[in-house]
Amino acid sequence: MSIGIHDIVGRVSYGCDVLFRVIQIKEENGKTIAILYGEDIRLVAHAPLDDLVKVNESERSARKQKNEEMVRHSLQLFSQDRELLDQKRRFEVSDGYRQQGDYFQIPGKVLHLDGDPSYLKKCMDVYEKIGIPVKGLYCNEKEMPSRITELLEMYRPDILVVTGHDSYSKSKGKMIDINAYRHSWHFVQTVREARKKIPQLDQLVIFAGACQSHFESLIAAGANFASSPSRVNIHALDPVYIVAKISFTPFMERIHVWDVLRNTLTGEKGIGGIETKGVLRTGMPYKSMEEEV
């Protein structure tokens, strides 16, 4: 069975553990090689064409259903957390506001840069469900460092997401060597440029990285949260759950790292970070447009 661009495949040598999209087919050292992007994880890989097998529709549907169940579970956990936050805020503001409807809240604004347009769409759909104000832009990982300053000036976000595809290659060097990673260096440079513009960790909260990214370098560059401490794969939606917690936590509260990680699909092996303030702000008076009519 021939394999072409955009086919959904698995790698036989890995037991078809991950579903990939075929992005490119090329000749390399006399072999036909396919460049692969993970369907649900932020991993880029390459494999000989003869190591690939097409995944049939029934298998794809079964895996899609399992993935959607994981996403629903994470959304449910986040919704529970948000309800607890809302209850706490309603209690705390009751002394300062005459009645429940006197105040309004502004969640943190997000600028999401993604190296994969299909992942970006998936993330934007979840941002919309959760109710987070976001500007999502597709941007090739290699172009992110040169574009970030202009984009920060243009959109003035409270939270920055820098993500896309990444992978570690043992043949290129040891795990501590950032040159052994496909895009970690570009993510690190992007974070550094962002910190030149906004140095304070609580003025701009940054999530950076993708599958197997060089976690230590990203944190050292100035990211609040990053992947991947154990060099494992992360889910396409993990950045959304990170920033959602930050966006809806009041700016006077500090977020413990585990409180952020426990709602992700990957957990502490895939994502880590540092204690960070929330960015939600409360104001008054609240007046709906309906009251004006």
Side-chain angles (χ1 to χ4, degrees), residues 81 151 155 157 168 245 259 263:
D81 274 4
L151 293 173
Y155 296 109
Y168 163 68
K245 178 72 172 179
D259 287 340
N263 290 347

Side-chain angles (χ1 to χ4, degrees), residues 212-263:
Q212 304 176 12
S213 290
H214 200 294
F215 170 78
E216 296 81 6
S217 292
L218 290 167
I219 294 294
N224 300 69
F225 297 91
S227 60
S228 165
S230 298
R231 304 304 192 263
V232 300
N233 300 329
I234 71 167
H235 193 275
L237 297 178
D238 277 337
V240 178
Y241 298 118
I242 293 287
V243 301
K245 178 72 172 179
I246 300 161
S247 181
F248 286 111
T249 298
F251 80 101
M252 292 298 288
E253 293 185 18
R254 293 195 173 275
I255 305 166
H256 296 291
V257 177
W258 176 242
D259 287 340
V260 179
L261 302 186
R262 69 189 187 92
N263 290 347

